[in-house]
Amino acid sequence: MSVHVKNFDGTLKELHRPSGGPWGGTKVDDRYIAWLTEMFGKSAMEKLKEKSMGEYLGILREFECKKRMVTPDSKSKITSIIPGALKKFHKRSGEENIKSKLARLNLTEDVSFKDNKIRVSADNARSWFKEPIEGIIRHITGILSEPTMNDVTTVVLVGGFAECTLVQDAVKKAVGDRTLIIPEEAGLAVLKGAVLFGHRPQLVSSRCVKFTYGYSISLPFDDSKHPLDKLFIGSYGDRRVNHCFCKVVEINTSVDVGRNIKSPSTLVLHKDNTNTLNIYASTERDPEYRTDSSCTKVGELDMGSSPGETRDDNRVHIYFAFGDTELKATVKILKTGKVVSATFNCL
């Protein structure tokens, strides 16, 4: 989920970083499979996947059609065909008879099983949608309740799960007076948008950064605040502290596409050594060390070899571009003003 404002020139400015969770249609499939596992037993379901994967996938294919029939007001039962292999594996497992289990669980009114068909009440089927829909609504209302979201007037619902009337009904209630747009073939809208963006990448003029990005550097060692285990002697003979996180851009910052952000500190290339800058992402706004638990290494920046012998010869600024679909960087040698492209290797 993300939030955009439409600019006067027709481009989009991202107001909220993309976010979300495991609340799609496949989560409903998981709940259905979990329910079947409860009915037929874990052993039988595992045997079905192991010995007859085709029939297991057939269950999911059939359910993909059946779950579209579940609506907020539907009354009729949902009928599904149970593969013969699953019945066989259930019988061999020694599990409790299905009809006896339904009676013990007081489900005889909601569920019936006869021959190779199982019929489930609409209320029972709707329960499979409960968890993912609640996750979606919780996330939407959380975003819309933020002070910066007060001007949001329109919600666009896309993706395969957007075609589910249960989702549509819940989202309508959650967004209140805001306009809700559900395009025809909502499941294809994401694909069409990706193709459109591929032809016109300039449609998005700015993005919100998903993490705090920075790089690992060494700084002059300060006895009053730096731990001794991070002390080392640098290539120029001075006392340094290792693994410091140098922040380039903070989480949730809006960054214009194509805009270069200069490194906040001047770097000095190592003499007679490879110069690789490790890039890290953090979920915190201001991490102190790249060894903090919130930090993850996301790539390496090859800055090339040092051009001279002294510190002044080898001082550089790094310019990062975060607003595009990939991270780009250039290196500027301060003494000569020479600018070279740096190679960013993603992990």
Side-chain angles (χ1 to χ4, degrees):
M1 301 177 192
S2 60
V3 183
H4 294 82
V5 61
K6 186 175 180 181
N7 298 320
F8 289 112
D9 61 359
T11 62
L12 299 177
K13 177 182 179 180
E14 197 172 70
L15 296 182
H16 193 285
R17 64 188 176 92
S19 59
W23 309 310
T26 54
K27 197 70 174 179
V28 182
D29 298 346
D30 293 342
R31 296 299 305 144
Y32 178 59
I33 292 298
W35 183 82
L36 284 179
T37 302
E38 184 182 359
M39 290 293 105
F40 290 90
K42 183 178 180 181
S43 174
M45 290 299 291
E46 288 179 347
K47 282 288 185 182
L48 182 67
K49 285 194 285 186
E50 179 186 347
K51 303 291 186 181
S52 188
M53 179 57 78
E55 289 190 279
Y56 177 80
L57 294 176
I59 290 176
L60 293 175
R61 282 194 297 269
E62 184 191 26
F63 183 62
E64 186 64 31
C65 297
K66 296 293 183 179
K67 69 183 181 183
R68 296 174 188 270
M69 300 166 58
V70 183
T71 68
D73 304 317
S74 57
K75 305 287 186 188
S76 58
K77 288 186 175 182
I78 304 299
T79 303
S80 299
I81 297 175
I82 300 301
L86 180 57
K87 292 172 60 180
K88 179 179 69 176
F89 294 136
H90 172 257
K91 187 175 181 179
R92 289 179 179 177
S93 69
E95 285 272 345
E96 182 181 3
N97 178 276
I98 296 294
K99 292 183 178 180
S100 298
K101 180 177 286 188
L102 292 176
R104 179 172 58 82
L105 297 175
N106 295 320
L107 290 175
T108 52
E109 294 294 324
D110 291 323
V111 183
S112 59
F113 180 67
K114 185 177 181 181
D115 297 328
N116 65 335
K117 294 180 181 179
I118 193 164
R119 303 190 71 215
V120 183
S121 69
D123 285 339
N124 202 304
R126 277 189 283 267
S127 68
W128 302 329
F129 294 77
K130 186 174 185 289
E131 183 182 343
I133 290 178
E134 285 181 349
I136 290 171
I137 300 307
R138 198 163 47 241
H139 197 65
I140 289 177
T141 53
I143 290 176
L144 292 178
S145 65
E146 296 179 14
T148 54
M149 299 294 110
N150 289 337
D151 292 333
V152 173
T153 58
T154 304
V155 175
V156 183
L157 195 60
V158 298
F161 207 24
E163 296 179 2
C164 172
T165 54
L166 289 170
V167 175
Q168 295 174 5
D169 186 62
V171 173
K172 284 176 185 176
K173 294 175 182 176
V175 301
D177 295 333
R178 296 176 179 87
T179 300
L180 178 65
I181 297 175
I182 307 170
E184 290 187 25
E185 297 185 319
L188 289 176
V190 178
L191 174 62
K192 292 177 180 178
V195 173
L196 179 62
F197 179 73
H199 286 284
R200 297 177 60 193
Q202 70 280 5
L203 280 175
V204 179
S205 61
S206 71
R207 298 181 185 276
C208 281
V209 182
K210 295 178 68 175
F211 301 99
T212 294
Y213 286 98
Y215 50 85
S216 179
I217 63 168
S218 64
L219 296 174
F221 188 84
D222 185 341
D223 292 282
S224 65
K225 66 177 183 179
H226 293 141
L228 282 174
D229 62 342
K230 295 187 182 295
L231 170 66
F232 77 103
I233 305 301
S235 59
Y236 296 94
D238 54 340
R239 299 169 80 234
R240 313 286 293 178
V241 59
N242 216 357
H243 306 319
C244 294
F245 189 99
C246 184
K247 181 171 64 175
V248 177
V249 63
E250 190 174 287
I251 188 171
N252 288 331
T253 301
S254 181
V255 178
D256 293 338
V257 173
R259 173 192 164 201
N260 287 325
I261 300 176
K262 187 178 75 172
S263 56
S265 62
T266 301
L267 283 78
V268 180
L269 300 181
H270 297 292
K271 294 189 299 181
D272 304 321
N273 200 353
T274 57
N275 288 279
T276 301
L277 193 66
N278 294 319
I279 310 297
Y280 293 86
S282 173
T283 54
E284 295 181 7
R285 292 187 176 277
D286 198 16
E288 187 172 3
Y289 298 103
R290 62 92 169 165
T291 52
D292 292 352
S293 60
S294 68
C295 298
T296 304
K297 186 177 178 180
V298 294
E300 299 174 343
L301 196 63
D302 181 6
M303 300 185 293
S305 57
S306 56
E309 293 294 321
T310 68
R311 277 182 173 276
D312 286 339
D313 291 336
N314 299 329
R315 292 184 188 277
V316 298
H317 274 150
I318 313 294
Y319 292 85
F320 297 90
F322 287 93
D324 213 336
T325 53
E326 59 182 353
L327 176 61
K328 299 176 182 177
T330 54
V331 179
K332 181 179 181 180
I333 302 169
L334 298 186
K335 188 170 183 178
T336 64
K338 183 180 178 181
V339 177
V340 294
S341 295
T343 303
F344 183 75
N345 300 313
C346 294
L347 298 180

